[in-house]
Protein backbone atom coordinates (compact mmCIF):
# COMPACT_ATOMS: atom_id res chain seq x y z
CA UNK A 1 0.00 0.00 0.00
CA UNK A 2 2.93 2.32 0.65
CA UNK A 3 6.13 2.73 -1.40
CA UNK A 4 9.41 1.62 0.15
CA UNK A 5 11.04 4.96 -0.63
CA UNK A 6 9.77 8.49 -1.12
CA UNK A 7 10.96 12.11 -0.78
CA UNK A 8 8.33 12.41 1.94
CA UNK A 9 10.24 9.87 4.02
CA UNK A 10 13.44 11.85 3.58
CA UNK A 11 11.65 14.93 4.91
CA UNK A 12 10.51 13.01 7.99
CA UNK A 13 13.98 11.69 8.79
CA UNK A 14 15.84 14.92 7.94
CA UNK A 15 13.51 17.49 9.49
CA UNK A 16 10.82 16.04 11.76
CA UNK A 17 13.14 13.86 13.85
CA UNK A 18 15.58 16.66 14.79
CA UNK A 19 12.58 18.84 15.65
CA UNK A 20 11.03 16.09 17.80
CA UNK A 21 14.03 15.78 20.12
CA UNK A 22 13.80 19.29 21.68
CA UNK A 23 10.03 18.87 22.06
CA UNK A 24 10.47 15.73 24.13
CA UNK A 25 13.06 17.51 26.29
CA UNK A 26 10.81 20.45 27.15
CA UNK A 27 9.68 18.57 30.26
CA UNK A 28 13.22 17.69 31.33
CA UNK A 29 13.79 20.29 34.02
CA UNK A 30 17.05 19.22 35.69
CA UNK A 31 16.22 21.24 38.81
CA UNK A 32 12.94 19.37 39.27
CA UNK A 33 14.58 16.03 38.49
CA UNK A 34 17.24 16.57 41.14
CA UNK A 35 14.76 17.67 43.82
CA UNK A 36 11.79 15.39 43.16
CA UNK A 37 13.09 12.12 41.73
CA UNK A 38 14.72 11.04 45.00
CA UNK A 39 15.89 7.44 45.15
CA UNK A 40 14.65 6.82 41.61
CA UNK A 41 17.40 9.10 40.37
CA UNK A 42 19.96 6.85 42.07
CA UNK A 43 18.27 3.78 40.57
CA UNK A 44 18.48 5.37 37.12
CA UNK A 45 22.27 5.57 37.27
CA UNK A 46 22.62 1.93 38.26
CA UNK A 47 20.34 0.94 35.37
CA UNK A 48 22.33 3.11 32.95
CA UNK A 49 25.58 1.56 34.20
CA UNK A 50 24.13 -1.91 33.65
CA UNK A 51 23.12 -0.95 30.12
CA UNK A 52 26.63 0.27 29.32
CA UNK A 53 28.34 -2.81 30.77
CA UNK A 54 25.87 -5.10 29.02
CA UNK A 55 26.43 -3.36 25.67
CA UNK A 56 30.20 -3.72 25.95
CA UNK A 57 30.05 -7.41 26.94
CA UNK A 58 27.42 -8.26 24.31
CA UNK A 59 29.47 -6.56 21.60
CA UNK A 60 32.66 -8.38 22.62
CA UNK A 61 30.79 -11.70 22.50
CA UNK A 62 28.91 -11.22 19.23
CA UNK A 63 30.82 -8.74 17.04
CA UNK A 64 32.31 -11.57 14.94
CA UNK A 65 28.82 -12.76 14.04
CA UNK A 66 26.93 -9.49 13.51
CA UNK A 67 28.30 -6.73 11.26
CA UNK A 68 28.43 -3.10 12.36
CA UNK A 69 27.79 -4.15 15.96
CA UNK A 70 29.70 -1.20 17.40
CA UNK A 71 27.22 1.17 15.76
CA UNK A 72 24.26 -0.91 16.89
CA UNK A 73 25.67 -1.05 20.42
CA UNK A 74 25.75 2.75 20.56
CA UNK A 75 22.12 2.88 19.38
CA UNK A 76 20.84 0.27 21.84
CA UNK A 77 22.82 1.82 24.69
CA UNK A 78 21.20 5.19 23.96
CA UNK A 79 17.81 3.50 23.70
CA UNK A 80 18.16 1.45 26.91
CA UNK A 81 19.18 4.56 28.85
CA UNK A 82 16.56 6.92 27.42
CA UNK A 83 13.92 4.99 25.53
CA UNK A 84 12.95 4.86 21.85
CA UNK A 85 13.50 8.54 21.08
CA UNK A 86 17.21 8.08 21.75
CA UNK A 87 17.28 5.09 19.40
CA UNK A 88 16.01 7.44 16.71
CA UNK A 89 18.65 10.07 17.42
CA UNK A 90 21.44 7.49 17.70
CA UNK A 91 20.47 5.97 14.36
CA UNK A 92 21.33 9.32 12.74
CA UNK A 93 24.57 9.51 14.70
CA UNK A 94 25.97 6.06 13.83
CA UNK A 95 24.32 5.45 10.40
CA UNK A 96 24.26 1.62 10.33
CA UNK A 97 22.92 -0.23 7.30
CA UNK A 98 19.18 0.07 6.84
CA UNK A 99 18.59 -3.67 6.95
CA UNK A 100 20.47 -3.95 10.27
CA UNK A 101 18.53 -1.03 11.72
CA UNK A 102 15.25 -2.64 10.68
CA UNK A 103 16.26 -6.03 12.07
CA UNK A 104 17.32 -4.41 15.35
CA UNK A 105 13.93 -2.71 15.66
CA UNK A 106 12.19 -6.07 15.18
CA UNK A 107 14.40 -7.77 17.78
CA UNK A 108 14.07 -4.84 20.18
CA UNK A 109 10.26 -4.71 19.95
CA UNK A 110 9.90 -8.44 20.61
CA UNK A 111 12.29 -8.27 23.54
CA UNK A 112 10.59 -5.22 25.04
CA UNK A 113 7.25 -7.05 25.10
CA UNK A 114 8.86 -9.80 27.16
CA UNK A 115 10.73 -7.48 29.50
CA UNK A 116 7.71 -5.23 30.16
CA UNK A 117 5.88 -8.37 31.27
CA UNK A 118 8.89 -9.23 33.46
CA UNK A 119 8.91 -5.77 35.06
CA UNK A 120 5.26 -6.21 36.03
CA UNK A 121 5.76 -9.80 37.21
CA UNK A 122 8.83 -9.36 39.46
CA UNK A 123 7.15 -7.28 42.22
CA UNK A 124 4.45 -9.97 42.57
CA UNK A 125 6.81 -12.93 43.06
CA UNK A 126 7.27 -14.11 46.68
CA UNK A 127 11.04 -14.55 46.26
CA UNK A 128 11.61 -10.92 45.33
CA UNK A 129 9.14 -9.59 47.90
CA UNK A 130 10.92 -11.58 50.60
CA UNK A 131 14.50 -10.66 49.75
CA UNK A 132 14.21 -7.04 48.55
CA UNK A 133 13.12 -3.84 50.35
CA UNK A 134 9.56 -2.78 49.48
CA UNK A 135 7.79 0.55 49.17
CA UNK A 136 4.30 -0.94 49.40
CA UNK A 137 3.12 -3.79 51.64
CA UNK A 138 1.62 -7.02 50.34
CA UNK A 139 -2.18 -6.64 50.35
CA UNK A 140 -4.64 -9.50 50.52
CA UNK A 141 -7.87 -9.59 48.53
CA UNK A 142 -10.05 -8.83 51.59
CA UNK A 143 -7.82 -6.01 52.86
CA UNK A 144 -9.64 -2.63 52.70
CA UNK A 145 -6.43 -1.05 51.40
CA UNK A 146 -6.64 -3.29 48.33
CA UNK A 147 -9.88 -1.64 47.25
CA UNK A 148 -8.47 1.80 48.01
CA UNK A 149 -5.34 1.08 45.96
CA UNK A 150 -7.48 -0.04 43.03
CA UNK A 151 -9.58 3.13 43.19
CA UNK A 152 -6.44 5.27 43.32
CA UNK A 153 -5.03 3.46 40.30
CA UNK A 154 -8.22 4.08 38.30
CA UNK A 155 -8.25 7.76 39.29
CA UNK A 156 -4.57 8.20 38.39
CA UNK A 157 -5.06 6.45 35.07
CA UNK A 158 -7.96 8.70 34.05
CA UNK A 159 -5.99 11.78 35.10
CA UNK A 160 -2.76 10.84 33.34
CA UNK A 161 -4.30 9.63 30.08
CA UNK A 162 -7.10 12.19 29.99
CA UNK A 163 -7.45 14.97 27.43
CA UNK A 164 -5.21 18.01 27.80
CA UNK A 165 -5.89 21.60 26.88
CA UNK A 166 -3.70 22.61 23.94
CA UNK A 167 -4.05 26.00 22.30
CA UNK A 168 -3.02 27.09 18.82
CA UNK A 169 -0.45 29.35 20.45
CA UNK A 170 1.06 26.36 22.30
CA UNK A 171 1.47 24.47 19.04
CA UNK A 172 2.98 27.47 17.23
CA UNK A 173 5.44 28.30 20.01
CA UNK A 174 6.44 24.65 20.47
CA UNK A 175 7.21 24.18 16.79
CA UNK A 176 8.97 27.56 16.48
CA UNK A 177 11.32 26.91 19.40
CA UNK A 178 12.03 23.32 18.34
CA UNK A 179 12.79 24.27 14.74
CA UNK A 180 15.10 27.06 15.94
CA UNK A 181 17.00 24.72 18.27
CA UNK A 182 17.33 22.11 15.52
CA UNK A 183 18.65 24.73 13.07
CA UNK A 184 21.19 26.07 15.56
CA UNK A 185 22.26 22.54 16.44
CA UNK A 186 22.82 21.65 12.80
CA UNK A 187 24.80 24.78 11.90
CA UNK A 188 26.82 24.86 15.11
CA UNK A 189 27.59 21.16 14.73
CA UNK A 190 29.00 21.71 11.25
CA UNK A 191 31.12 24.61 12.54
CA UNK A 192 32.51 22.63 15.47
CA UNK A 193 33.22 19.62 13.26
CA UNK A 194 35.45 21.78 11.07
CA UNK A 195 37.01 23.61 14.03
CA UNK A 196 37.80 20.92 16.61
CA UNK A 197 41.05 19.12 15.74
CA UNK A 198 41.14 15.36 15.15
CA UNK A 199 43.83 12.72 15.25
CA UNK A 200 43.91 9.94 17.80
CA UNK A 201 41.09 8.30 19.75
CA UNK A 202 40.61 11.07 22.33
CA UNK A 203 40.48 13.98 19.87
CA UNK A 204 38.24 12.02 17.50
CA UNK A 205 35.88 11.24 20.40
CA UNK A 206 35.75 14.89 21.49
CA UNK A 207 35.09 16.02 17.91
CA UNK A 208 32.37 13.40 17.42
CA UNK A 209 30.54 14.26 20.63
CA UNK A 210 30.80 18.05 20.68
CA UNK A 211 29.98 18.48 16.98
CA UNK A 212 26.99 16.16 17.06
CA UNK A 213 23.71 17.92 16.31
CA UNK A 214 21.75 15.91 18.88
CA UNK A 215 24.31 16.55 21.60
CA UNK A 216 24.15 20.29 20.92
CA UNK A 217 20.35 20.31 20.77
CA UNK A 218 20.14 18.47 24.09
CA UNK A 219 22.51 20.90 25.81
CA UNK A 220 20.66 23.94 24.42
CA UNK A 221 17.20 22.61 25.29
CA UNK A 222 18.07 21.45 28.81
CA UNK A 223 19.72 24.81 29.51
CA UNK A 224 16.71 26.77 28.26
CA UNK A 225 14.30 24.61 30.26
CA UNK A 226 16.37 25.09 33.43
CA UNK A 227 16.58 28.88 32.98
CA UNK A 228 12.99 29.44 31.80
CA UNK A 229 11.31 26.62 33.71
CA UNK A 230 8.02 28.44 34.36
CA UNK A 231 7.57 29.20 30.66
CA UNK A 232 8.16 25.59 29.58
CA UNK A 233 5.99 24.19 32.39
CA UNK A 234 3.05 26.14 30.96
CA UNK A 235 3.76 25.15 27.37
CA UNK A 236 1.41 22.33 26.33
CA UNK A 237 1.55 20.03 23.26
CA UNK A 238 5.32 19.39 23.12
CA UNK A 239 5.19 15.77 24.32
CA UNK A 240 2.28 14.90 22.06
CA UNK A 241 3.72 16.44 18.87
CA UNK A 242 7.22 15.13 19.54
CA UNK A 243 5.98 11.60 20.19
CA UNK A 244 3.88 11.71 17.02
CA UNK A 245 6.92 12.72 14.95
CA UNK A 246 8.96 9.87 16.45
CA UNK A 247 6.21 7.37 15.61
CA UNK A 248 6.23 8.62 12.02
CA UNK A 249 9.94 7.86 11.91
CA UNK A 250 9.38 4.32 13.16
CA UNK A 251 6.86 3.75 10.37
CA UNK A 252 9.16 5.16 7.70
CA UNK A 253 12.20 3.18 8.78
CA UNK A 254 10.22 -0.07 8.82
CA UNK A 255 8.73 0.31 5.33
CA UNK A 256 11.78 -0.88 3.31
CA UNK A 257 12.41 -3.80 5.71
CA UNK A 258 13.48 -7.03 4.03
CA UNK A 259 11.84 -10.07 5.59
CA UNK A 260 14.74 -12.33 4.62
CA UNK A 261 17.30 -9.97 6.16
CA UNK A 262 15.28 -9.70 9.35
CA UNK A 263 14.94 -13.49 9.63
CA UNK A 264 18.65 -13.82 9.01
CA UNK A 265 19.82 -11.20 11.51
CA UNK A 266 17.08 -10.85 14.15
CA UNK A 267 17.86 -14.07 16.13
CA UNK A 268 21.37 -12.98 17.12
CA UNK A 269 20.27 -9.38 17.47
CA UNK A 270 17.58 -10.61 19.85
CA UNK A 271 20.30 -12.24 21.97
CA UNK A 272 22.35 -9.04 21.76
CA UNK A 273 19.46 -6.87 23.00
CA UNK A 274 18.54 -9.44 25.65
CA UNK A 275 22.02 -9.35 27.19
CA UNK A 276 21.91 -5.55 27.46
CA UNK A 277 18.38 -5.47 28.91
CA UNK A 278 19.30 -8.21 31.39
CA UNK A 279 22.31 -6.28 32.70
CA UNK A 280 20.15 -3.16 32.94
CA UNK A 281 17.63 -4.93 35.18
CA UNK A 282 20.17 -7.01 37.09
CA UNK A 283 22.31 -4.01 38.02
CA UNK A 284 19.46 -2.05 39.57
CA UNK A 285 18.17 -5.14 41.42
CA UNK A 286 21.65 -5.79 42.81
CA UNK A 287 21.85 -2.15 43.88
CA UNK A 288 18.48 -2.50 45.63
CA UNK A 289 19.61 -5.62 47.46
CA UNK A 290 23.02 -4.32 48.53
CA UNK A 291 22.26 -0.71 49.41
CA UNK A 292 18.68 -1.01 50.77
CA UNK A 293 18.23 2.56 49.52
CA UNK A 294 16.22 1.50 46.46
CA UNK A 295 12.97 -0.42 46.86
CA UNK A 296 11.95 -3.28 44.59
CA UNK A 297 9.23 -1.11 43.05
CA UNK A 298 11.69 1.70 42.34
CA UNK A 299 14.17 -0.77 40.83
CA UNK A 300 11.75 -2.20 38.26
CA UNK A 301 10.38 1.25 37.46
CA UNK A 302 13.90 2.57 36.84
CA UNK A 303 14.60 -0.37 34.52
CA UNK A 304 11.30 0.31 32.76
CA UNK A 305 12.01 4.04 32.46
CA UNK A 306 15.48 3.56 31.00
CA UNK A 307 14.45 0.91 28.50
CA UNK A 308 10.98 2.12 27.60
CA UNK A 309 11.02 5.81 28.47
CA UNK A 310 8.95 7.90 30.89
CA UNK A 311 5.55 6.98 29.46
CA UNK A 312 5.83 3.22 29.97
CA UNK A 313 7.28 3.66 33.48
CA UNK A 314 4.54 6.08 34.53
CA UNK A 315 1.89 3.78 33.04
CA UNK A 316 3.23 0.89 35.12
CA UNK A 317 3.31 2.97 38.32
CA UNK A 318 -0.25 4.11 37.68
CA UNK A 319 -1.57 0.63 36.92
CA UNK A 320 0.05 -0.76 40.08
CA UNK A 321 -1.31 2.05 42.27
CA UNK A 322 2.19 3.17 43.28
CA UNK A 323 1.16 6.78 43.78
CA UNK A 324 4.46 7.99 45.26
CA UNK A 325 6.43 6.67 42.30
CA UNK A 326 4.46 8.12 39.36
CA UNK A 327 6.22 11.49 39.17
CA UNK A 328 9.70 10.11 40.01
CA UNK A 329 9.35 7.47 37.28
CA UNK A 330 8.43 10.18 34.78
CA UNK A 331 11.43 12.25 35.86
CA UNK A 332 13.66 9.19 35.70
CA UNK A 333 12.58 8.64 32.09
CA UNK A 334 13.20 12.29 31.26
CA UNK A 335 16.70 11.97 32.73
CA UNK A 336 17.19 9.17 30.23
CA UNK A 337 16.13 11.50 27.43
CA UNK A 338 18.92 13.86 28.50
CA UNK A 339 21.68 11.35 29.14
CA UNK A 340 20.90 8.56 26.67
CA UNK A 341 22.61 10.05 23.64
CA UNK A 342 25.68 11.13 25.61
CA UNK A 343 26.22 7.64 27.02
CA UNK A 344 25.33 5.97 23.72
CA UNK A 345 27.79 8.09 21.73
CA UNK A 346 30.59 7.32 24.19
CA UNK A 347 29.95 3.55 24.33
CA UNK A 348 29.39 3.26 20.58
CA UNK A 349 32.56 5.13 19.63
CA UNK A 350 34.58 3.24 22.23
CA UNK A 351 33.46 -0.10 20.78
CA UNK A 352 33.92 1.00 17.17
CA UNK A 353 37.48 2.04 17.96
CA UNK A 354 38.16 -1.30 19.68
CA UNK A 355 36.54 -3.53 17.04
CA UNK A 356 37.92 -1.77 13.97
Amino acid sequence: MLPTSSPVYDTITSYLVPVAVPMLLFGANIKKIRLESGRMFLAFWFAALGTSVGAILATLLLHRFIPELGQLAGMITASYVGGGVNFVAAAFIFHPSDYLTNATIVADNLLMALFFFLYILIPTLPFFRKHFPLSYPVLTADDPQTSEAGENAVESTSTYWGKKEISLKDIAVTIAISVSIAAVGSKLGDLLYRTIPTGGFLLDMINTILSNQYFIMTVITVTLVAVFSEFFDQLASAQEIGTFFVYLFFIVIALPASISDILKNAPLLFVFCAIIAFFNLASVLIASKLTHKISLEEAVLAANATVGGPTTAAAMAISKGWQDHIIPSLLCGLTGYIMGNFIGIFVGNLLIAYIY
Side-chain angles (χ1 to χ4, degrees):
M1 295 176 63
L2 294 171
T4 58
S5 62
S6 167
V8 175
Y9 305 161
D10 297 335
T11 300
I12 290 173
T13 56
S14 299
Y15 293 95
L16 292 192
V17 172
V19 170
V21 172
M23 290 182 185
L24 293 172
L25 288 170
F26 283 177
N29 186 340
I30 55 176
K31 295 179 182 177
K32 183 183 295 185
I33 289 171
R34 180 173 57 85
L35 294 174
E36 299 181 14
S37 58
R39 294 176 302 185
M40 194 84 72
F41 187 65
L42 176 64
F44 164 83
W45 287 109
F46 280 107
L49 176 63
T51 292
S52 303
V53 172
I56 292 171
L57 291 178
T59 303
L60 295 178
L61 288 172
L62 299 173
H63 74 273
R64 291 186 176 87
F65 308 102
I66 305 174
E68 304 177 43
L69 199 57
Q71 291 91 320
L72 297 180
M75 291 163 54
I76 292 297
T77 299
S79 179
Y80 287 7
V81 171
V85 64
N86 287 39
F87 180 95
V88 174
F92 286 93
I93 295 169
F94 292 104
H95 300 291
S97 303
D98 288 343
Y99 79 93
L100 280 173
T101 302
N102 298 333
T104 303
I105 289 175
V106 172
D108 177 44
N109 287 341
L110 178 59
L111 183 75
M112 286 306 94
L114 297 176
F115 265 80
F116 286 147
F117 174 76
L118 186 61
Y119 299 146
I120 295 172
L121 179 65
I122 284 176
T124 68
L125 298 178
F127 171 82
F128 289 97
R129 300 197 69 86
K130 179 180 179 181
H131 293 93
F132 287 81
L134 301 174
S135 296
Y136 290 84
V138 180
L139 300 177
T140 59
D142 56 351
D143 194 319
Q145 294 185 34
T146 303
S147 175
E148 182 181 349
E151 293 174 359
N152 289 337
V154 171
E155 182 180 352
S156 297
T157 301
S158 61
T159 300
Y160 182 77
W161 297 110
K163 293 182 179 180
K164 302 174 183 177
E165 287 190 12
I166 299 176
S167 70
L168 184 60
K169 179 182 178 181
D170 289 330
I171 297 173
V173 172
T174 295
I175 293 177
I177 296 175
S178 300
V179 169
S180 299
I181 293 173
V184 171
S186 176
K187 297 300 182 182
L188 185 56
D190 292 340
L191 177 62
L192 292 175
Y193 180 79
R194 296 192 301 268
T195 304
I196 299 174
T198 57
F201 173 75
L202 182 59
L203 287 176
D204 289 347
M205 176 77 75
I206 293 173
N207 182 287
T208 300
I209 294 176
L210 296 184
S211 66
N212 181 265
Q213 178 185 6
Y214 292 91
F215 174 89
I216 296 169
M217 288 192 303
T218 301
V219 171
I220 293 173
T221 307
V222 171
T223 303
L224 288 175
V225 172
V227 175
F228 304 102
S229 56
E230 292 185 6
F231 170 79
F232 284 97
D233 284 342
Q234 297 173 1
L235 189 61
S237 80
Q239 287 291 317
E240 287 73 16
I241 299 174
T243 302
F244 179 67
F245 285 174
V246 169
Y247 286 170
L248 286 178
F249 171 79
F250 282 137
I251 294 171
V252 166
I253 200 171
L255 283 172
S258 167
I259 299 299
S260 60
D261 286 337
I262 291 174
L263 293 176
K264 178 181 177 181
N265 292 285
L268 277 181
L269 285 171
F270 181 84
V271 174
F272 174 71
C273 294
I275 292 172
I276 301 173
F278 170 79
F279 272 88
N280 172 289
L281 177 59
S283 64
V284 77
L285 287 175
I286 292 171
S288 171
K289 179 65 176 177
L290 295 180
T291 66
H292 291 277
K293 293 182 178 180
I294 302 169
S295 69
L296 179 62
E297 294 89 345
E298 289 168 329
V300 293
L301 285 171
N304 190 328
T306 48
V307 170
T311 303
T312 59
M316 178 177 170
I318 290 168
S319 67
K320 288 286 191 179
W322 297 340
Q323 301 296 311
D324 296 337
H325 297 330
I326 295 174
I327 298 301
S329 62
L330 275 170
L331 296 174
C332 182
L334 290 171
T335 306
Y337 279 175
I338 298 171
M339 299 305 302
N341 284 331
F342 301 162
I343 298 174
I345 291 172
F346 177 80
V347 171
N349 281 285
L350 182 67
L351 290 170
I352 291 170
Y354 174 81
I355 294 173
Y356 303 110

